[in-house]
Amino acid sequence: MLRTKLEPNKQSLLHRLHIDGPLLLGLLALMSVGLVTIYSAGGQDIALIQRQIIRLGVAMMVMFFLAQVPVLAYQRIAIYFYIAGLLMLVAVLLFGVMGKGAQRWLDLGVVRFQPSEIMKLAVPMMVAWYISQFNLPPRLWNICVGFVVVVIPTLLIAKQPDLGTSLLIASSGIFVLFLAGMSWNIIFMVGALGAAFAPVMWFFLMKEYQKQRVLTFLNPESEPLGAGYHIIQSKIAIGSGGVDGKGWLQGTQSQLEFLPERHTDFIFAVFSEEFGLIGIIGLLAIYCYIIVVGVMISMRAQDAFAKLLAGSITLTFFVYVFVNIGMVSGILPVVGVPLPLVSYGGTSMVTLLAGFGILMAISTQKRLLSRQ
Amino acid sequence: MAPRRIAIKDHSAEANLFMRRSFMAMLLVVVMMIVLISNLYFLQVKRFDDYQTRSNGNRIKVLPVAPNRGLIYDRNGELLAENRPVFSLDVVPEEVDDLDQTLSSLGDLLDISQDDIDDFKKDMKRQRRFKPVSLLNRLTSREVALFSANQHKYPGVSIEARLARHYPYGSALTHALGYVAKINKEDSNKLSQEGKEDNYKATHDIGKLGIERYHEELLHGEVGYQEVEVNSKGRIIRTLNFQPPKPGKDLVLNLDVKLQLHIQRLMDKNRGSVVVLDAKTSGVLALYSNPSYDPNYFVHGISSKRYSFLLESKDRPLINRATQGQYPPASTVKPHLALAGLEEGTITPETRMFDNGRYKLENVSHVWRDWVPWGHGWVDAKKSIEVSCDYFFYDLAYNLGIDKINEHMSNFGFGDYTGIDLYEESDANLPSRGWKKARFNEPWYIGDTIPVGIGQSYWTATPLQLAKSINTLINQGIRHSPQILMGHLVDGNTRLAPINELPPIPVQNPENWDLILDSMLGVIHEPHGTARTAFAGTEYIAAGKTGTAQLVSIAQDAKYDAEKLSEKHRDNAMYVGFAPFDEPQISLSIVLENAGGGGSQAAPIARKIMDYYFSEHPLEIAQTDVDEAVEQ
């Protein structure tokens, strides 16, 4: 049983600003690694670093802002947030803007906007809100409703198509149900259903280029200059890094442009090539630290909604890490998932830090809630 | 929706459940982390060597660097084959903003044809955009200067230099020196069969003819390597390692280009050839075949028009007449035959017979005529050589028989390759019973033997074979293969190539050999000698033998009339000889096709060649009086 002591007089400045110090430390460490690696992967382009720092700054402001929002508010807006998100996803399918072979964006005139990013937060909030109204563990009926809540946006996003995001959203919802105590029988049943659903996916839902990716993943050497090129070059970069790496800015695979998507999705290959296994273990240690901090926050959280949401955000963060490293090192097919807080890029960065903002709100506001 | 449940929440049970599930999740995280790390460990530790190799294979490319071809000098250090930079105008498409505009404005500056532009665009499509593509080849120095002054206006366009072979003496040396040309498919097949394709990876040209072809291995050198780092698009980032190529050997030839040029001038419009050998070593001082052609056209790819002109010319300039021309040796081989008779004992120095101009055999109606219709009267071996008596040699051939003739003439190298360092050589034909059976499926008749005595019938020889056989006579049976190559340069000094000595001919009686040489001296210095007029008044003492080869059989009792015969059927004029008589330095053979008599046409040219040679190489010993020498 965890009970947090009430020490109102000893509240630190960070706490009063609703900032979780240990979490912030971990995030800053990751961002630093990211900037150092982007500098190398982007060909020592200072402008690239500046743009990334601006993005990080914006995302941090979003994070700090969301940390101030009362957790109760998240609970109350969850359903509206979710419905609005669903409508926007439908709108994307109807009027969305094409880009990179997929229909993911809504053009709002001023900004282009990716509704699927909203769903990364809306789905776990919605599922957590719904489940937390009942006694835990949830009953079969509640779980079924929860699944429907997860599956609708997942399918809408998979249809765009955006396999990476739909995967992340599905897992964020399922993590809520898992943490809520969904019975093991159901878990295995769902697993079996999923396995049965795979052929359906293959024949009816997946686009040709997605099928190709899976095939290439299964045997990258079959297409050394085609789709397999990315995976092969990425594995060469990682493997040739060895134990201690080739050194910063010394990675030949990245510096000589053999690696594709160097500063975005494949940045882990650049990092591995230049810093080796030792560097990787250090990087994974930072991720583990953040995950442990996140799980601790969820355990200490005051009510079921906060616990479930915090746990889901933390575990989804791990899914990012696992899927990205897995695909770059050749044990998962290539789906567009960035290495969180290290890869160059804006949209997912804002969503990620928004999630951590909610986590900080949960971490720092529990006393306020308990007094209510 | 289900009705809102009002059941009281059990917070502590829920918290416990959540804790358990959180631990399960953490366990899952740990397991998946282990999966990731094991895979990375596998890649980075277990398969490190493999991936490191593949990473290096990506970035490191080994570029072959062509060795510089060895230069070729004549015996006096004159450069016969050099490597000259040729300039091409190269364009790097990537660096040019507006290609069409650039091309048209270059067209104002230089002479660029539509063909050039079409070829350029074709080449451009086959290349990476940052690789240079040639727009113009073989720029003149004026064009180079013109462009260089305006280069700043054309970013991405530059002048590049490459070394290409150049033969400053042009057509004078073609048949001896040969030429190089672009490696074609046939050449590369041959190179790969011989396992030499690696050495030729960067090489543009290969020896196609003459010395360039025969001594290709000496001249080529060894390929070098440049190890470079490239990026994913193949652009060279930096050089990691450079192993310089080993240049080919600089060759020194026995040829004397001044002599060769002199011979070319003397030959003028005559079809024919001249071979001048060092009398001692059989080193080739001059080897010229007329008409010749400029080898430099072949280096840069001869136009099909020019090539078919050479190919179809009636004068057949592509043939190396000195080594491939097969001519009846005619009277030039009478000294050899007389020696064979003496050594075999068929005749003695005292053997005399009466030449009435008509040689007949018992019970044979055919008459073999002497070139002097009324004959030479009483002749012995020496006089028969001096006056070129046919009758004596008809009889000698009859008595020796074809088998002995074949044996002795084979010893002199007839019917066989001389072993010169040229691939373009014919072995011509020395007839024998076996040969006739194989060739015509007919037995050898006695009537076939008689004309062999005057170097006619089926007997053919190349001018080089004749010159080589004269050296064998001079050196009393010691034989050498004629060699164009003298050696190669090592630190500025010539390291001599070994002289190719063949087993000598067994000598029965040295006096026989002396008699033959004396007879050849008599050809020039006796009052009745056939080359007396041509060599009158030389400051050196020459010896030799004329020959006039009949190309058509003249009907029995008909008269040979040069004017009436078409040019192609006129006699070949020939001469073989050496000088100075007592210490021979050079020997030579000349064949002039369809020029007429050897004494009147070939001998005068031989004399001019020798005059020139001895004016360039004055004899050190004070010249004894010609008459005195004759008496000896």
Side-chain angles (χ1 to χ4, degrees), chain A residues 101-104 156-163 205 207 209-210:
Chain A
Q103 199 164 355
R104 296 175 186 170
L156 286 172
I157 293 164
K159 193 129 182 62
Q160 290 179 350
D162 186 349
L163 236 49
L205 290 172
K207 294 211 169 176
Y209 88 96
Q210 292 169 320

Side-chain angles (χ1 to χ4, degrees), chain A residues 132 178 182 233 253 257, chain B residues 5 9 21 44 58 232:
Chain A
S132 61
F178 174 77
M182 173 170 65
Q233 294 304 333
Q253 284 287 104
E257 302 171 21
Chain B
R5 287 157 57 124
K9 281 195 167 198
R21 284 297 166 101
Q44 294 193 303
N58 267 342
S232 62

Side-chain angles (χ1 to χ4, degrees), chain B residues 271-388:
Chain B
R271 267 177 287 112
S273 67
V274 176
V275 176
V276 183
L277 299 183
D278 182 304
K280 284 266 160 348
T281 63
S282 289
V284 180
L285 298 176
L287 187 145
Y288 181 72
S289 173
N290 212 39
S292 185
Y293 55 95
D294 189 347
N296 290 304
Y297 288 115
F298 283 86
V299 177
H300 299 285
I302 191 165
S303 69
S304 56
K305 192 177 153 198
R306 202 186 291 274
Y307 185 64
S308 51
F309 173 79
L310 289 176
L311 202 61
E312 287 157 17
S313 165
K314 282 182 193 145
D315 292 338
R316 305 186 69 193
L318 296 174
I319 299 287
N320 184 349
R321 290 175 155 82
T323 56
Q324 294 175 306
Q326 302 177 37
Y327 304 98
S331 304
T332 57
V333 289
K334 282 175 181 169
H336 312 67
L337 287 160
L339 180 66
L342 291 167
E343 295 274 90
E344 282 291 330
T346 313
I347 53 168
T348 67
E350 286 74 39
T351 303
R352 279 156 60 87
M353 59 187 78
F354 189 81
D355 170 18
N356 63 3
R358 300 166 67 84
Y359 183 74
K360 289 179 85 168
L361 289 177
E362 258 178 75
N363 305 324
V364 178
S365 61
H366 193 94
V367 174
W368 287 276
R369 295 176 308 165
D370 197 290
W371 68 277
V372 176
W374 47 90
H376 296 282
W378 283 102
V379 290
D380 58 7
K382 182 169 184 289
K383 189 174 179 196
S384 294
I385 291 172
E386 288 162 357
V387 300
S388 205

Side-chain angles (χ1 to χ4, degrees), chain A residues 226-246:
Chain A
Y229 178 83
H230 288 198
I231 298 170
I232 291 172
Q233 294 304 333
S234 172
K235 284 169 84 170
I236 291 174
I238 296 171
S240 64
V243 173
D244 50 358
K246 295 177 184 171

Side-chain angles (χ1 to χ4, degrees), chain B residues 255-269:
Chain B
L255 293 176
D256 177 342
V257 71
K258 282 200 226 153
L259 180 65
Q260 185 93 6
L261 286 168
H262 193 74
I263 290 168
Q264 186 180 34
R265 275 193 298 276
L266 291 172
M267 289 296 276
D268 192 28
K269 295 271 188 295

Side-chain angles (χ1 to χ4, degrees), chain B residues 403 406 431-442 444:
Chain B
D403 299 332
N406 185 278
S432 65
R433 289 176 202 276
W435 170 82
K436 196 177 176 199
K437 186 81 188 156
R439 177 78 170 74
F440 298 109
N441 197 23
E442 273 177 26
W444 186 268

